[in-house]
Amino acid sequence: MFGVVDLPTYLAGLVLIILLPGPNSLYVLSVAARRGVRSGYTAAAGVWCGDAVLMTLSAAGVASLLQANAVLFGIVKYAGAGYLAWLAFGMLRTAWGMWRGRGEGSAAEAVPAAGPAGERPFRRALVVSLLNPKAILFFIAFFVQFVDPAYAYPALSFVVLGTLAQVASVLYLSALIFSGTRLAAAFRRRRRLSAGATSAAGALFLGFAAKLSTASA
């Protein structure tokens, strides 16, 4: 169908890949928990746009260029790791401030305090998505296995595969967003819980940065 081969295997692999935790999904969950459904979808839109760009670049062969050029790959890799580390330190700094002030004010103020001033969820999620060389390499390595090389319109095959990936991402991130709003209710009641969750998110982002900095093409 449209030059796509072995569609059931592609869908099964896609579900497994999307369910694996990563910085994108964690950030969307964090935004939804701190700022509500609308902001959660704003962050999710950044992820979807970033994924669309990566899919387009992969279809155009840019991922192969990164894989073949060690210097270029290293630049993108360390830029991505640095940005994830910067986000992590911001979360940890916010969490530290919440721990120090957990005895002050009402618990209802916990959630607004958890978000950095001037945070732009769409832009931040977009940058997190784009500065991820492993994602670019994944798209090119995964997609090409399900495109019939004899099909006359391979671009259409990539569009079909990309659309299915985006639909799966929409469903998954929507589930995270609405889960996040439930977490927000608990955060409003307990400042310590909110500070602990923000600390955990910061630690995970540091882990993502460390893992990315050691990635190889």
Side-chain angles (χ1 to χ4, degrees):
M1 181 181 69
F2 301 113
V4 176
V5 297
D6 204 0
L7 183 59
T9 301
Y10 172 76
L11 294 176
L14 185 63
V15 170
L16 292 176
I17 291 163
I18 287 180
L19 290 178
L20 290 175
N24 293 346
S25 56
L26 179 61
Y27 181 67
V28 170
L29 177 61
S30 172
V31 170
R34 292 185 282 107
R35 303 179 60 172
V37 171
R38 183 173 180 178
S39 292
Y41 271 109
T42 299
V47 173
W48 297 326
C49 288
D51 286 347
V53 171
L54 293 181
M55 292 175 195
T56 302
L57 294 176
S58 297
V62 174
S64 298
L65 176 62
L66 281 177
Q67 193 170 21
N69 190 319
V71 174
L72 183 58
F73 179 83
I75 291 173
V76 176
K77 177 178 72 172
Y78 289 116
Y83 187 74
L84 291 178
W86 179 74
L87 291 180
F89 284 119
M91 291 179 179
L92 293 174
R93 185 172 61 250
T94 297
W96 175 246
M98 294 167 65
W99 281 111
R100 293 184 61 185
R102 65 183 182 275
E104 303 172 3
S106 65
E109 298 170 349
V111 174
E119 181 181 16
R120 293 180 173 83
F122 177 86
R123 186 175 67 181
R124 184 162 292 186
L126 177 63
V127 174
V128 169
S129 298
L130 292 178
L131 291 179
N132 190 346
K134 294 299 286 185
I136 299 174
L137 298 179
F138 157 75
F139 279 124
I140 192 64
F142 190 63
F143 277 20
V144 295
Q145 299 179 44
F146 302 95
V147 176
D148 184 357
Y151 188 63
Y153 307 102
L156 181 58
S157 304
F158 280 103
V159 168
V160 172
L161 295 173
T163 299
L164 292 173
Q166 291 286 46
V167 169
S169 180
V170 167
L171 295 175
Y172 177 58
L173 292 183
S174 292
L176 290 183
I177 288 168
F178 286 101
S179 297
T181 57
R182 292 190 176 185
L183 291 175
F187 291 165
R188 291 190 182 97
R189 292 192 299 269
R190 300 181 180 180
R191 183 180 291 271
R192 181 175 297 179
L193 177 62
S194 183
T198 305
S199 300
L204 284 174
F205 265 74
L206 274 181
F208 290 135
K211 184 177 180 180
L212 179 56
S213 66
T214 59
S216 61

